[in-house]
Amino acid sequence: MPSQRSSALTAIQAHPDSTAAPLLPSQREAIAVIDFGSQYSQLIARRVRELGVYCELLPHDVDEARVRALDPRGFILSGGPASVYQEGAPQLPPAVLALGRPVLGICYGMQLLAHALGGRVAPSQRREYGHAVVRVCTPDYPLFRHLPPELPVWMSHGDVIERLPAGFRALAESEHSPVAAMASDQGLIGLQFHPEVVHTPAGKELLRNFLFEVCGCRGDWTSGSYVEQAAADIRARVGDGRVICALSGGVDSAVVAALVYRAVGDQLTCIFVDNGLLRQGEAEQVIRAFRQHQHIPLMHVDARARFLNRLAGVVDPEEKRRIVGDEFIRVFNEEAQKLGTIDFLAQGTLYPDVIESTSHETRAAARIKTHHNVGGLPADLPFQLVEPLRYLFKDEVRRVGEALGLPEELVWRHPFPGPGLAVRILGEVTDERLALVRAADAIVMDEVRRAGLYRQVWQSFAVLTPVRTVGVQGDFRTYGHVVAVRIVTAEDAMTADWARVPHEVLAAISSRIVNQVPGVNRVVYDITSKPPATIEWE
Ligand code: XMP
């Protein structure tokens, strides 16, 4: 899953010899989540982390040595699209049973356990998809502790367990699944439904019970403990080398910079390229936060004119992306050279990107937009990479940012695309159009904040459309721009829904934009989910 990134620098390909050794949070309790291709696999990992237990999402054909190195307290087996009895269906990695730790199989994971241990899995007479109610037959079983005997759950399966493996018993049933949950005395547990999704209200409690009651975890995964561990890892890796980091204004690069600074102090220099495509007040805010508050050495490069010149006359979205990425790398390289010898480049690769690059499932093969590979640096880049966020999800990055004392406005800032406002102006990017969309965007943000919605929504912004419409203002006909307002909710950016914002908030946004942004006479609200639309308009 290509996750959103905060800077074009994430496009940089490491020199083949310079692949960063993982900054692994060593010596902590861990859970291994084995990925069988479910759309919810990452969600399982996030839920476990939310419960304060470190976990890694591993492909189903993972090496046994890798699993042993992680030394997990337990395993969670994800769901998946295959049927266990099909030829070529993903099988249980041998390490899962060899380690003798508790296992929680979810959906396909449960069927796989049953299949591998001699039970029978067969196609169901009726596919069970959506809401269901399970009746718990063994309320004393640790997994169901503190839970009522009837649980609304989310099902999504076409196979059922017809015969349990020897030594297993059914723990729960539903209308169409006689075995909605099962367990052996050895702590091998299966759930036919999905505890990781919000549609299973008791799901978090079930996962908590598995982690703490069954696996005996303590829950030592906190942002504070991560900061200390990561800083020690960075120090060990960087030694007395010099590090550069590109700041974009987004949360990922900000947290990387603050973390690396915590680890190696002035050995770090940050480069902030103002490409002129940022939101209102963003450049000043970055400079204030880093130079004045954190005292982090920062080079501020005003490259606004360069970017604008290169974007002149360009209307194609992919071309805009390519130009912004390419120009960024040129500017960045020029500035880096002024610094003399630099050994390391710190960048904000997040865990979803790591998962994506190591996943054996070829998901999302079709390129929708060029998110990262804009431009690209030469392959013989002379830096080694430091990627201290490579085991974190976005919400964890934010918590680490808070633990590092970064300002709330930076840590909780909505994601922003690398090509910035260039992809929120449909058509040509000019100074005038930038000013217009920036002003409208600031109003959207302001009203969303005022309504107390800023942290509840994933993104909120304005788009300048290439459309002009007729209006009337003060008895005069106008022929003005149309601004689209996009406010979306999402758990991650893979899917999103348009936010059901109260009408009064939309009214305030609309009224302020047409009154305060010259040239705009119409405001529309985007009511499309992703898919089929994307979050950004370009
Ligand atoms: P879409 O528009 O594909 O966006 O639904 C998903 C998320 O990614 C962000 N986005 C980008 N981030 N460079 C980035 O660093 C890009 O070119 C880019 N395009 C989209 C978008 O804001 C949303 O959060």
Side-chain angles (χ1 to χ4, degrees):
M1 173 190 100
S3 75
Q4 71 291 339
R5 296 276 194 68
S6 38
S7 96
L9 190 60
T10 49
I12 290 171
Q13 300 292 313
H15 182 272
D17 301 333
S18 70
T19 312
L23 290 163
L24 190 80
S26 45
Q27 306 303 322
R28 63 175 83 243
E29 59 182 22
I31 291 288
V33 180
I34 310 288
D35 182 7
F36 293 96
S38 161
Q39 54 179 324
Y40 303 133
S41 298
Q42 278 200 34
L43 200 53
I44 301 173
R46 282 177 40 195
R47 293 282 178 261
V48 173
R49 299 263 191 106
E50 280 165 17
L51 289 162
V53 177
Y54 179 71
C55 70
E56 288 190 20
L57 184 60
L58 304 173
H60 60 79
D61 53 358
V62 60
D63 276 356
E64 184 157 341
R66 186 157 165 218
V67 179
R68 287 190 182 276
L70 184 65
D71 191 22
R73 291 280 173 104
F75 292 88
I76 300 181
L77 314 177
S78 83
S83 283
V84 290
Y85 44 78
Q86 275 171 350
E87 201 170 317
Q91 296 303 313
L92 206 55
V96 171
L97 296 177
L99 261 66
R101 308 279 159 80
V103 179
L104 176 67
I106 297 174
C107 198
Y108 182 84
M110 163 174 172
Q111 293 157 8
L112 203 51
L113 269 183
H115 182 69
L117 296 169
R120 189 163 66 226
V121 178
S124 166
Q125 299 297 337
R126 273 189 62 182
R127 213 180 128 73
E128 214 176 4
Y129 185 83
H131 291 285
V133 173
V134 301
R135 282 169 296 283
V136 179
C137 327
T138 53
D140 296 337
Y141 193 76
L143 196 73
F144 295 108
R145 207 154 278 169
H146 316 301
L147 290 173
E150 291 213 340
L151 303 173
V153 300
W154 184 257
M155 293 276 194
S156 176
H157 65 109
D159 290 339
V160 286
I161 293 182
E162 277 195 351
R163 192 186 63 229
L164 284 166
F168 278 75
R169 60 194 163 126
L171 302 180
E173 59 181 15
S174 74
E175 192 181 346
H176 300 292
S177 299
V179 184
M182 66 173 196
S184 75
D185 292 339
Q186 284 71 42
L188 306 178
I189 305 171
L191 296 178
Q192 187 55 78
F193 53 90
H194 289 269
E196 69 276 25
V197 304
V198 288
H199 310 293
T200 300
K204 199 160 180 177
E205 205 53 42
L206 284 163
L207 290 173
R208 186 197 309 277
N209 283 342
F210 177 69
L211 299 175
F212 295 95
E213 306 279 341
V214 180
C215 299
C217 292
R218 296 182 311 275
D220 63 1
W221 178 245
T222 62
S223 40
S225 69
Y226 183 81
V227 167
E228 296 319 316
Q229 175 83 50
D233 282 356
I234 294 167
R235 266 193 296 278
R237 180 164 159 75
V238 166
D240 56 7
R242 291 181 69 200
V243 191
I244 47 170
C245 174
L247 278 181
S248 67
V251 59
D252 303 346
S253 65
V255 173
V256 168
L259 199 48
V260 174
Y261 185 72
R262 165 80 61 108
V264 298
D266 289 354
Q267 287 165 250
L268 168 72
T269 304
C270 291
I271 299 180
F272 172 55
V273 177
D274 183 352
N275 59 13
L277 305 168
L278 301 174
R279 288 168 284 193
Q280 190 159 291
E282 204 159 30
E284 298 75 15
Q285 207 180 65
V286 169
I287 293 165
R288 209 171 39 239
F290 283 84
R291 231 184 232 160
Q292 291 168 14
H293 290 163
Q294 304 259 340
H295 308 291
I296 299 179
L298 172 71
M299 292 168 74
H300 171 210
V301 192
D302 181 356
R304 290 177 293 181
R306 282 178 69 158
F307 280 83
L308 211 56
N309 281 342
R310 282 202 60 190
L311 286 166
V314 178
V315 296
D316 178 66
E318 286 295 282
E319 185 62 6
K320 287 182 192 170
R321 279 197 155 73
R322 196 193 61 72
I323 289 173
V324 175
D326 180 65
E327 192 58 26
F328 171 80
I329 284 153
R330 284 179 199 213
V331 176
F332 183 80
N333 265 349
E334 286 169 22
E335 295 302 318
Q337 272 166 25
K338 293 182 191 162
L339 292 170
T341 308
I342 295 288
D343 312 280
F344 295 92
L345 173 72
Q347 66 175 12
T349 310
L350 300 194
Y351 196 41
D353 305 298
V354 175
I355 294 170
E356 181 64 19
S357 62
T358 55
S359 169
H360 291 228
E361 310 289 336
T362 43
R363 300 187 199 133
R367 173 185 289 186
I368 313 294
K369 296 176 190 177
T370 311
H371 276 203
H372 315 306
N373 297 341
V374 275
L377 270 191
D380 58 353
L381 193 80
F383 311 120
Q384 298 180 62
L385 292 181
V386 179
E387 298 176 309
L389 310 182
R390 58 183 282 122
Y391 288 96
L392 300 187
F393 290 108
K394 187 93 182 175
D395 43 343
E396 295 176 314
V397 172
R398 291 200 160 113
R399 281 200 293 278
V400 169
E402 283 175 333
L404 284 161
L406 288 172
E408 200 244 343
E409 55 189 10
L410 239 169
V411 170
W412 286 98
R413 159 164 295 171
H414 286 168
F416 189 57
L421 298 178
V423 290
R424 291 185 181 167
I425 294 174
L426 277 60
E428 193 184 355
V429 179
T430 62
D431 250 338
E432 187 208 358
R433 305 184 85 210
L434 272 167
L436 195 155
V437 77
R438 192 174 280 132
D441 188 69
I443 291 171
V444 174
M445 212 80 81
D446 190 40
E447 290 300 329
V448 167
R449 275 189 204 280
R450 262 186 219 228
L453 297 173
Y454 190 81
R455 283 186 42 179
Q456 289 175 36
V457 300
W458 177 266
Q459 270 172 295
S460 54
F461 56 89
V463 175
L464 177 57
T465 74
V467 178
R468 283 179 166 238
T469 64
V470 173
V472 54
Q473 265 164 323
D475 293 339
F476 289 102
R477 176 188 191 273
T478 59
Y479 189 52
H481 299 286
V482 178
V483 162
V485 174
R486 181 100 166 118
I487 307 177
V488 296
T489 54
E491 279 241 17
D492 54 46
M494 288 304 286
T495 59
D497 199 2
W498 58 279
R500 274 44 168 192
V501 172
H503 289 176
E504 312 79 70
V505 178
L506 294 176
I509 289 173
S510 164
S511 154
R512 279 187 62 192
I513 291 178
V514 290
N515 283 302
Q516 297 173 13
V517 186
V520 179
N521 69 358
R522 197 176 292 268
V523 175
V524 297
Y525 188 51
D526 182 347
I527 52 167
T528 332
S529 61
K530 170 185 181 175
T534 53
I535 295 176
E536 305 289 343
W537 275 38
E538 285 199 331

